[in-house]
Amino acid sequence: DQQVKQNSPSLSVQEGRISILNCDYTNSMFDYFLWYKKYPAEGPTFLISISSIKDKNEDGRFTVFLNKSAKHLSLHIVPSQPGDSAVYFCAASAQTSYDKVIFGPGTSLSVIP
Amino acid sequence: NAGVTQTPKFRILKIGQSMTLQCAQDMNHNYMYWYRQDPGMGLKLIYYSVGAGITDKGEVPNGYNVSRSTTEDFPLRLELAAPSQTSVYFCASSYRTGQPQHFGDGTRLSIL
C-alpha cells in the first residue's frame, strides 16, 4: 500500500518550458513534504521542501505547491534545463515521526534541448 | 568535504554469505539512516539512529542489523544473504529530526 504516489514514471519536456511533477499521498498525518533529485549512480540530493502550514514554497526555478484537501503536491520547474534531467522523488513525513520518511517511486524527467 | 561515504560501491554475494555495508559521515550529524531502493520503487527505510548507541527499526528491517558506536559510523550488516536483498542501498544523515537528509552514492548489492 503506497502512501506516497507518483503516477507518472516518466516525463519529457522541451528546454525552456515548464516541467510539472505530481505527487499524491494517502496519509492525512503527513505534514512535511520534500522533493529529492537523483542522477544515475549518485545518491538523492535535497531540492525543496514544504510544511503543511504553507501552500507554496519557492526557490529559484523550483516551486512546490501543496493542496492539503486533495492530498496532492506538485513541483514546478521553470524554465526547464537539460541539467534538470534526473529522477525526482517526492517524500513525506509526519510530526509524530519525522525520521520515518516515506518516499514515492520517482518520476524520471528528461529535458530535451 | 566528503559528506556521506559508502563502501563498497558494488558487491556480489552468494546466498547465505554475510557482509557489512559501511557508512561514514563527517558532518557531525546525529541522525543516520539506511534505505534500500528496488527497481521502480521509492527508497524504503531499513534502520535509523538518532545518536551513538541508539538505533531503531524502519519499514523493512528483517534480515538486517545495525550498530552505532560512534557519531560518524553506521554500518549495516546482512547475516544470511538472500536473493530478495538484491538492491541498491543508500545511507543518509541529518543534523536533527525533520531536516533534509544528505545521502551517500549507494552500494549496489547482488545476491546470487
Side-chain angles (χ1 to χ4, degrees), chain A residues 2 32 34 36 38 41-46 89 97-105, chain B residues 31 33 35 37 40-43 45 48 50 57 59 90 97-98 100-101 103-105:
Chain A
Q2 280 191 334
Y32 184 56
L34 310 95
Y36 286 86
K38 185 183 178 304
E42 294 184 8
T45 55
F46 170 70
F89 292 100
S97 183
Y98 282 136
D99 300 306
K100 295 186 177 180
V101 178
I102 306 297
F103 284 79
Chain B
Y31 292 75
Y33 312 82
Y35 293 90
Q37 185 191 11
M41 307 287 285
L43 283 73
L45 183 65
Y48 67 101
V50 302
K57 295 178 181 179
E59 282 181 270
F90 290 101
T97 189
Q101 297 171 19
F103 284 82
D105 286 339

Side-chain angles (χ1 to χ4, degrees), chain B residues 8-111:
Chain B
K9 293 192 184 304
F10 305 95
R11 184 74 184 266
I12 297 174
L13 281 183
K14 294 184 178 179
I15 295 171
Q17 287 185 320
S18 62
M19 78 162 293
T20 300
L21 281 66
Q22 302 292 343
C23 175
Q25 53 91 10
D26 62 359
M27 297 174 282
N28 201 31
H29 284 173
N30 293 314
Y31 292 75
M32 296 188 75
Y33 312 82
W34 273 106
Y35 293 90
R36 60 177 285 174
Q37 185 191 11
D38 299 325
M41 307 287 285
L43 283 73
K44 292 193 182 300
L45 183 65
I46 305 171
Y47 271 95
Y48 67 101
S49 169
V50 302
I54 306 170
T55 63
D56 206 350
K57 295 178 181 179
E59 282 181 270
V60 289
N62 292 343
Y64 306 95
N65 281 301
V66 293
S67 59
R68 183 97 182 268
S69 56
T70 67
T71 300
E72 294 77 22
D73 300 297
F74 190 39
L76 177 72
R77 178 111 180 126
L78 283 73
E79 290 293 350
L80 288 170
S84 60
Q85 293 176 306
T86 293
S87 190
V88 181
Y89 291 83
F90 290 101
C91 179
S93 71
S94 64
Y95 183 64
R96 54 174 181 252
T97 189
Q99 288 205 332
Q101 297 171 19
H102 297 255
F103 284 82
D105 286 339
T107 294
R108 185 175 295 274
L109 180 63
S110 295
I111 297 159

Side-chain angles (χ1 to χ4, degrees), chain A residues 25-36:
Chain A
Y25 60 96
T26 58
N27 189 339
S28 57
M29 298 298 292
F30 288 151
D31 60 0
Y32 184 56
F33 305 89
L34 310 95
W35 286 92
Y36 286 86

Side-chain angles (χ1 to χ4, degrees), chain A residues 13-19 77-82 84 111-113:
Chain A
V13 171
Q14 290 285 338
E15 180 179 3
R17 305 293 291 269
I18 184 172
S19 295
I77 306 173
V78 183
S80 301
Q81 299 174 354
D84 296 330
V111 180
I112 303 163

Side-chain angles (χ1 to χ4, degrees), chain A residues 1-74:
Chain A
D1 179 32
Q2 280 191 334
Q3 297 187 66
V4 178
K5 303 176 184 181
Q6 294 177 259
N7 292 322
S8 296
S10 62
L11 176 68
S12 288
V13 171
Q14 290 285 338
E15 180 179 3
R17 305 293 291 269
I18 184 172
S19 295
I20 300 176
L21 292 85
N22 293 307
C23 176
D24 298 289
Y25 60 96
T26 58
N27 189 339
S28 57
M29 298 298 292
F30 288 151
D31 60 0
Y32 184 56
F33 305 89
L34 310 95
W35 286 92
Y36 286 86
K37 175 179 178 179
K38 185 183 178 304
Y39 293 117
E42 294 184 8
T45 55
F46 170 70
L47 192 57
I48 193 169
S49 63
I50 188 166
S51 164
S52 61
I53 62 172
K54 294 185 174 183
D55 54 18
K56 176 183 173 180
N57 190 25
E58 194 170 353
D59 184 0
R61 297 186 296 114
F62 302 91
T63 303
V64 56
F65 296 91
L66 175 62
N67 182 333
K68 291 183 288 294
S69 61
K71 294 192 180 69
H72 176 83
L73 59 156
S74 60

